[in-house]
Amino acid sequence: MATLPKIAIIIGSTRKTRFADKPAQWMLTQAQARDDMTVELVDLRDFDLPLFDEMASNKWMPSSDPKAVAWQKKIAEYDGYIFVVAEYNHSVTGALKNALDQAYTEWNRKPMGAIAYGGVGGARALEHLRNIAVELCMVPVHGAVHIGGGDFMAVHPMGKDGAIEEIEDHLKPGATDLLDDIVWWAKATMTAKG
């Protein structure tokens, strides 16, 4: 029997007041309902990553900071990634960019996608994340989930703070596309790596 792809859902915000937990839990539930992958929630809060201060990326030399090495070991466990992406000033959070920079080889040749949120559904942050992913030799997938506009205000604490299930009819088609893409590309890259 073939090994199921192991996918990480990475929460990309570390703020105390973050909204990320709500979409992360919803995405985890969607992924766990499937039988073609295993999935785990990975929270950047659980990794006290320093700002990137190595001599070079671990593409070129091993990292010296034990916290960076622990992060690298954790993300190396997975065959693909779904990032929970907040849009800050048209980009990803500083915490997520720093976490991405702390590794290189561990990201290589694995698919990535996202559930993004913000005024325009986190679209600008996700586009930026996809560009970063290409530089890290990941495979950005087409499918994505965007929570924006009225939907965002319906579930965000500064709006109505409703349950995300109130808007899930708008989110599920994107989630299905995202998860289908992640699984297909994870299987393809796993096979290619032998």
Side-chain angles (χ1 to χ4, degrees), residues 92-169:
V92 298
T93 66
L96 178 54
K97 179 62 169 79
N98 185 56
L100 290 161
D101 290 344
Q102 296 283 356
Y104 185 87
T105 57
E106 297 78 10
W107 301 119
N108 286 185
R109 296 177 177 91
K110 297 176 185 178
M112 62 73 59
I115 178 169
Y117 58 89
V120 293
R124 297 167 296 208
L126 179 49
E127 285 306 308
H128 191 191
L129 178 59
R130 285 177 170 145
N131 286 329
I132 296 165
V134 168
E135 185 59 28
L136 294 171
C137 294
M138 285 192 260
V139 182
V141 301
H142 180 267
V145 178
H146 295 276
I147 306 172
D151 283 345
F152 181 59
M153 294 312 295
V155 297
H156 193 274
M158 292 180 67
K160 294 181 182 175
D161 200 19
I164 203 159
E165 289 74 19
E166 294 175 18
I167 62 165
E168 75 178 352
D169 286 349

Side-chain angles (χ1 to χ4, degrees), residues 71-87:
W71 171 245
Q72 292 162 4
K73 286 180 180 177
K74 183 62 179 173
I75 63 171
E77 297 175 13
Y78 303 99
D79 303 304
Y81 310 96
I82 297 171
F83 295 93
V84 181
V85 180
E87 183 167 313

Side-chain angles (χ1 to χ4, degrees), residues 148-191:
D151 283 345
F152 181 59
M153 294 312 295
V155 297
H156 193 274
M158 292 180 67
K160 294 181 182 175
D161 200 19
I164 203 159
E165 289 74 19
E166 294 175 18
I167 62 165
E168 75 178 352
D169 286 349
H170 304 160
L171 307 180
K172 278 194 172 186
T176 298
D177 288 347
L178 168 59
L179 294 169
D180 287 348
D181 285 353
I182 288 286
V183 168
W184 193 93
W185 280 105
K187 288 179 179 178
T189 56
M190 289 166 69
T191 299

